[in-house]
Amino acid sequence: MIDVRLKDGNRKKFSGTGGLGLVASRLTLEGPIVEDKGSFIVSGRRTYVDVITRQVNRANEGNENYNPIPDYYFYDLNMKANYDLGENDRIFLSGYLGRDFFTFGNGDFNVNFDWGNTTTTARWNHVFNPQLFMNTTVTYSDYDYTLSNKFGDFAFELGSGIEDQAAKVDFSYTPNNDHFIQFGVSSTYHKFDIGRANADSESGVIEFSSGQKHYAWEFGAYVADEWEVNEKLKLDFGLRASGFYNDEKFYYGLEPRFASKYSVSENVSVKASYARMYQYIHLVSNSGASLPTDIWYPSDQVVAPQFSDQVAAGVSIALGENYLLSNEVYYKWLGNQVDFKDNANLFLNDKLNEEFVFGKGWAYGNEIYIEKKNGKFTGWVGYTLSWSWRQFEDILDGEAFPYRNDRRHDASVVTMYEINSRFTVTASWVYSTGNASTVPEGYFIVQKPQGEGITIVPTYVPRNSYRVPAYHRMDIGFVWNFKHKWGKSDLTFSAYNAYNRKNPYFIYVDDNRQDIIDANDGQPLGADDFSELEFTPTQVSLFPIIPSVTWNFSF
Amino acid sequence: MKKSLYILLASITILIGACDLEKEVDLNLPEFEPKLVVECYLEPGKPYRVILSESVGYFGTLDLDLPVVNNATVMITHNGIKDTLINSVFVEPSPGGNPLLAKVFNYGSSTLVPEDYNSDFHLEIVDSAGRTITATTQLLPVVPLDSVQYLYLQDSSASLLTIHTDNPNETNWYYRTQHKTVVTLDSLKGGFVLDDELITGSNNSMAVGGPPVYDAGDTAIVTLYHITESYAEFLETTAAAQQNNGNPFATPSSIKSNIVGGLGIFTGLTYFRETYYLD
């Protein structure tokens, strides 16, 4: 899910780059293993906002109205080494390790949430002859998250993970100047650990666990040709066969793709493409906020693979030497989509596939992009107008509804201005229509049988029918360059979310029922209390303005 | 050095100022359409009682203490006999006398619920605006508790494990509540909905533990309701709707029950209840 690419290390001399900041620091070191035969590069980062927020929390200790700021940090480490075994053989080893930690504690209540990814890759590159190359790659990757809660002596832990072992062989063949042919095979063994949950209390009175494991095989074989028909026309054909085996069920599919590009003139080109894709692993998101707890679920006896067909057409125009304008329009058909049924029970559920519903989707839109490539002032503007729909027989009686990530408008502006060789300013701005969400709209009262207190039950708008306010944010930066005898450095002043926009993360309706109960000396709500009830829609945001200073260096 | 210290302090100040990450917002919702809400629990030997109310938009004004709906025709039919309930105020005081826990109904009749486990009960409501509700339910036989065990915790407190026998030939749902300390049902309770697919014990026994925790000298009133699938769904979906408000992990919830044309529940209410004194 995470594609990490790191350049190869410097084969001639040892060098390094780094940054020291208020929020994070990073360091990259590279150099030869044996001069002109092999090199390495190692790079690491660690954020430490947690050090600051912890001090803020400590300063507010004892203040009843203060909500502690959660602790958050992440680190990651990248490594890559390459070595020439001979004229025609080269090996590469790389590794990635990254983890995020989130901790929140308030009195008896503690939450720890951490998630991370580990990947190691070994690749052997072999040259048969100037026309034919081969890459053999073996990969291991592991993603997991753990969310643990502690309340007094009661502990509760939730987690999920995917571990992959993959091997593939890819060939590139260039028979002549007009064709570039690629083919290969791949196989992946997936281990899924879904919805792992454990609960226990120190006294041992409560103890249970649940979760399910899946072991699946995924296969692929492909052939593709990039054909330069003539100076103006380029065609790209490909066919991939894929298969997936899990839960005694074998699924397979043929994935053709086709792309063409035609240069109308020196400055104008047009393109068109079609692609079919199969997806055997499903991301089933909660409809609320996006978190690393989203569930990845493999195809099985109940859940069939998703597939999509996409057509797209576009035009690129070079406007003089400095500007590039491109526009693309697309339409996508989505089959076998997976979502949760209403009232789905996600946790402590060993039969998760019984909580799914299946349907279809379609999406379409237009993307326009203008870039200024040269000069003191550079940057680009992108704007996408799009729609994304889902339709399930078992949701909303089969009526189509907007997908959670249906974003009518999505715009971004990135600019950079070089004042002189010492100073550069940057600014970027993003805007997108708010998520389609399901919020409470009203309530009803349930009296319940004798012996139980009255409850207030919220009712919700139809699924995804409420539009959360738009997301927008500006980031600004100012770079001040220095030259030293030993190398170069710069001071970067930046602000994330510069105008401190409180972007919505989720919305809920707060009420004062606890205040009424407290005012009545802890007595449950009675019929007389309803006229005093007040409801307040409340929006929760995640990241405020985060100013920072970083000192970057290279030698 | 001085400069960077200054920047650090300035950043922290801004961060604190900006960290109030919850704010009141306006929800631009479409106009709220109130739905009829009905609650009727048929307890053998007790008279028919119904409360008919309406759901309320969050941001409308609520003049009444309870959004009750009067002047509707409410009928319960059993074994071909149709009872039309009277629109009046019926108050059933709480067993412990707590006025806050008294139950109020706006429709009732003097007919007592017959102890008939074989034939269905039908509910039909038409309000003055012509809105209609229908529902069907039945009484389920009482399932007794076989035994209660104490699970001792540290410092001599204990929680209760209740054991009952499930009929393996049918699918059953149960709702178990516990009331602590007070000798009546006035105290707050802890409840569980159980589905008999959870069975793990031998002899088809179901054991249910969990809070609350009792100390020596406490009294526990344990109630085991044998409930219909619709009532189990209603209890679970109303609980989910409450929990999902403010929970970013939640999945969308809609209220499920046997009520056609509105919200609420029409159900038999049969239970086994026992009081235990902990020493």
Side-chain angles (χ1 to χ4, degrees):
Chain A
M1 310 326 106
I2 297 170
D3 188 18
V4 181
R5 271 163 223 259
L6 193 64
K7 62 170 187 153
D8 288 333
N10 192 320
R11 289 185 151 209
K12 294 279 184 205
K13 66 177 182 74
F14 183 79
S15 67
T17 60
L20 278 173
L22 283 177
V23 190
S25 283
R26 61 185 170 78
L27 181 67
T28 303
L29 296 172
E30 59 185 308
I33 298 173
V34 175
E35 201 178 316
D36 287 332
K37 281 203 80 107
S39 68
F40 74 93
I41 180 163
V42 182
S43 173
R45 274 190 303 177
R46 160 79 155 94
T47 67
Y48 36 78
V49 187
D50 53 316
V51 179
I52 301 166
T53 53
R54 233 173 275 162
Q55 293 304 325
V56 177
N57 288 345
R58 197 161 301 159
N60 282 283
E61 229 166 75
N63 177 356
E64 269 182 34
N65 295 323
Y66 177 75
N67 291 317
I69 308 168
D71 243 23
Y72 170 77
Y73 72 92
F74 79 84
Y75 66 78
D76 65 9
L77 191 65
N78 259 299
M79 285 160 290
K80 191 170 176 184
N82 66 76
Y83 192 79
D84 293 355
L85 292 173
E87 284 261 304
N88 296 324
D89 296 280
R90 223 176 156 199
I91 51 165
F92 298 83
L93 285 174
S94 61
Y96 170 82
L97 178 70
R99 210 150 184 93
D100 292 60
F101 296 85
F102 177 90
T103 314
F104 181 76
N106 198 357
D108 268 348
F109 181 63
N110 277 289
V111 181
N112 288 297
F113 188 16
D114 66 277
W115 61 98
N117 202 47
T118 309
T119 318
T120 48
T121 305
R123 181 159 65 91
W124 168 43
N125 174 248
H126 178 71
V127 180
F128 290 97
N129 55 52
Q131 275 91 45
L132 186 64
F133 296 81
M134 179 187 73
N135 270 310
T136 305
T137 314
V138 184
T139 314
Y140 167 84
S141 76
D142 183 18
Y143 169 78
D144 80 289
Y145 78 80
T146 305
L147 175 64
S148 48
N149 282 298
K150 215 166 169 332
F151 185 72
D153 77 338
F154 175 69
F156 184 62
E157 192 188 287
L158 287 171
S160 266
I162 309 185
E163 196 185 314
D164 282 354
Q165 292 159 35
K168 59 177 186 158
V169 187
D170 300 296
F171 294 88
S172 319
Y173 177 56
T174 320
N176 53 48
N177 284 343
D178 300 336
H179 289 273
F180 177 61
I181 296 167
Q182 288 174 295
F183 53 97
V185 290
S186 65
S187 167
T188 307
Y189 180 60
H190 301 283
K191 283 193 219 172
F192 295 88
D193 179 7
I194 301 163
R196 181 180 70 232
N198 295 298
D200 56 64
S201 60
E202 277 167 28
S203 56
V205 174
I206 303 159
E207 209 167 341
F208 64 86
S209 64
S210 74
Q212 50 177 316
K213 287 189 190 303
H214 282 271
Y215 302 93
W217 282 99
E218 189 168 351
F219 313 95
Y222 70 95
V223 58
D225 181 19
E226 284 174 35
W227 177 24
E228 223 173 300
V229 182
N230 55 45
E231 274 188 4
K232 288 185 173 278
L233 183 64
K234 220 174 132 181
L235 297 177
D236 194 346
F237 301 95
L239 183 66
R240 186 171 182 272
S242 59
F244 192 81
Y245 182 78
N246 176 38
D247 196 20
E248 295 177 352
K249 181 92 187 168
F250 183 70
Y251 290 106
Y252 61 91
L254 276 182
E255 302 166 280
R257 66 184 171 81
F258 165 78
S260 63
K261 191 177 168 191
Y262 182 74
S263 302
V264 180
S265 71
E266 208 170 283
N267 295 326
V268 180
S269 67
V270 290
K271 58 183 181 176
S273 65
Y274 162 78
R276 160 161 280 220
M277 295 219 277
Y278 280 87
Q279 192 185 323
Y280 299 97
I281 300 170
H282 314 271
L283 174 66
V284 198
S285 305
N286 315 347
S287 88
S290 162
L291 280 166
T293 55
D294 286 346
I295 293 167
W296 291 94
Y297 196 90
S299 297
D300 64 6
Q301 290 280 359
V302 178
V303 185
Q306 298 180 31
F307 61 89
S308 66
D309 286 303
Q310 175 166 324
V311 289
V315 57
S316 289
I317 305 166
L319 301 165
E321 273 182 13
N322 293 328
Y323 292 92
L324 176 75
L325 169 71
S326 71
N327 190 69
E328 185 171 285
V329 54
Y330 68 90
Y331 196 100
K332 202 169 179 176
W333 293 264
L334 303 152
N336 283 339
Q337 297 298 295
V338 183
D339 206 333
F340 291 117
K341 63 184 187 190
D342 276 358
N343 308 304
N345 175 19
L346 303 191
F347 295 132
L348 311 179
N349 185 349
D350 287 347
K351 294 176 186 161
L352 206 55
N353 56 16
E354 292 181 1
E355 305 293 324
F356 296 155
V357 290
F358 306 99
K360 62 179 180 178
W362 57 100
Y364 44 91
N366 185 73
E367 292 170 10
I368 187 163
Y369 174 89
I370 304 166
E371 186 181 359
K372 180 169 185 293
K373 299 198 282 192
N374 307 311
K376 276 186 171 293
F377 182 79
T378 54
W380 49 267
V381 179
Y383 169 71
T384 303
L385 174 70
S386 67
W387 286 260
S388 184
W389 297 94
R390 294 293 182 276
Q391 189 172 30
F392 296 81
E393 220 171 273
D394 301 311
I395 299 176
L396 294 175
D397 298 321
E399 225 176 280
F401 62 92
Y403 184 52
R404 172 162 66 123
N405 294 329
D406 171 64
R407 299 218 167 94
R408 196 70 61 248
H409 309 287
D410 193 300
S412 51
V413 182
V414 174
T415 58
M416 193 160 119
Y417 183 68
E418 202 182 311
I419 301 167
N420 55 42
S421 62
R422 295 201 73 178
F423 300 108
T424 307
V425 285
T426 60
S428 65
W429 185 73
V430 291
Y431 174 95
S432 60
T433 303
N435 281 353
S437 173
T438 313
V439 295
E441 58 168 351
Y443 66 95
F444 66 99
I445 289 160
V446 182
Q447 175 160 250
K448 308 192 98 174
Q450 204 61 266
E452 304 198 30
I454 286 170
T455 55
I456 302 161
V457 181
T459 60
Y460 294 79
V461 297
R463 192 182 290 214
N464 291 356
S465 70
Y466 181 75
R467 231 5 121 161
V468 163
Y471 181 100
H472 53 91
R473 191 187 87 216
M474 180 180 267
D475 300 338
I476 51 172
F478 177 78
V479 185
W480 185 2
N481 293 304
F482 303 98
K483 275 188 186 146
H484 309 277
K485 279 178 193 159
W486 49 265
K488 288 190 294 189
S489 77
D490 68 62
L491 257 180
T492 300
F493 300 86
S494 67
Y496 171 91
N497 193 5
Y499 54 86
N500 196 26
R501 158 80 176 167
K502 286 181 178 162
N503 280 305
Y505 184 50
F506 67 92
I507 288 173
Y508 73 102
V509 176
D510 202 5
D511 63 46
N512 61 339
R513 85 180 80 170
Q514 196 54 47
D515 298 341
I516 297 174
I517 291 171
D518 291 344
N520 291 343
D521 297 324
Q523 296 281 359
L525 278 191
D528 295 344
D529 297 319
F530 285 104
S531 53
E532 286 175 44
L533 274 175
E534 279 168 21
F535 299 93
T536 320
T538 305
Q539 172 186 300
V540 179
S541 308
L542 269 194
F543 296 110
I545 177 171
I546 303 177
S548 77
V549 184
T550 310
W551 182 59
N552 299 300
F553 55 84
S554 61
F555 58 86
Chain B
M1 185 61 213
K2 258 188 180 166
K3 195 174 179 182
S4 64
L5 188 69
Y6 171 75
I7 293 164
L8 182 74
L9 289 174
S11 305
I12 293 170
T13 318
I14 295 170
L15 197 68
I16 298 166
C19 259
D20 184 19
L21 295 172
E22 280 204 3
K23 69 165 186 179
E24 230 182 286
V25 289
D26 283 329
L27 286 184
N28 293 316
L29 295 168
E31 199 178 328
F32 186 81
E33 272 182 44
K35 279 187 180 166
L36 286 178
V37 182
V38 63
E39 257 186 293
C40 177
Y41 304 97
L42 302 169
E43 200 176 329
K46 298 227 173 134
Y48 287 147
R49 293 286 182 264
V50 167
I51 179 162
L52 183 66
S53 62
E54 258 183 340
S55 59
V56 185
Y58 272 125
F59 314 108
T61 46
L62 189 56
D63 303 329
L64 298 161
D65 283 344
L66 278 172
V68 290
V69 174
N70 290 314
N71 305 317
T73 310
V74 176
M75 292 162 291
I76 296 175
T77 309
H78 175 250
N79 270 343
I81 302 163
K82 182 177 278 188
D83 237 285
T84 303
L85 281 65
I86 302 160
N87 183 197
S88 182
V89 177
F90 301 87
V91 179
E92 273 189 23
S94 148
N98 182 346
L100 288 174
L101 287 177
K103 301 298 175 193
V104 183
F105 301 90
N106 53 349
Y107 296 87
S109 122
S110 53
T111 307
L112 302 183
V113 176
E115 194 170 350
D116 176 357
Y117 298 102
N118 299 314
S119 29
D120 287 348
F121 293 81
H122 299 283
L123 172 73
E124 198 186 336
I125 299 176
V126 183
D127 84 341
S128 53
R131 293 180 292 181
T132 309
I133 274 184
T134 55
T136 301
T137 192
Q138 60 280 320
L139 296 183
L140 295 175
V142 172
V143 174
L145 287 177
D146 298 332
S147 64
V148 167
Q149 291 176 10
Y150 302 120
L151 292 170
Y152 287 99
L153 313 171
Q154 70 265 64
D155 61 45
S156 81
S157 57
S159 76
L160 293 183
L161 187 72
T162 64
I163 295 155
H164 68 272
T165 308
D166 176 68
N167 180 349
N169 302 318
E170 53 193 39
T171 312
N172 288 300
W173 285 267
Y174 304 95
Y175 179 48
R176 195 209 58 176
T177 62
Q178 294 184 77
H179 290 80
K180 179 188 157 180
T181 306
V182 189
V183 201
T184 65
L185 293 171
D186 279 7
S187 57
L188 290 176
K189 55 96 216 175
F192 267 111
V193 176
L194 305 165
D195 172 336
D196 69 357
E197 284 191 9
L198 287 170
I199 285 195
T200 46
S202 54
N203 308 324
N204 301 306
S205 68
M206 288 180 79
V208 193
V213 170
Y214 299 92
D215 293 313
D218 283 345
T219 303
I221 302 174
V222 179
T223 310
L224 183 70
Y225 297 89
H226 184 194
I227 61 174
T228 57
E229 182 178 6
S230 320
Y231 189 28
E233 277 183 340
F234 180 68
L235 287 169
E236 284 183 334
T237 54
T238 50
Q242 289 172 278
Q243 285 155 15
N244 286 358
N245 180 17
N247 176 4
F249 297 96
T251 56
S253 48
S254 54
I255 305 299
K256 282 189 182 173
S257 76
N258 58 342
I259 302 291
V260 181
L263 300 163
I265 187 70
F266 177 55
T267 184
L269 197 72
T270 50
Y271 53 87
F272 178 87
R273 180 168 287 155
E274 189 75 76
T275 304
Y276 300 91
Y277 303 95
L278 286 91
D279 42 33

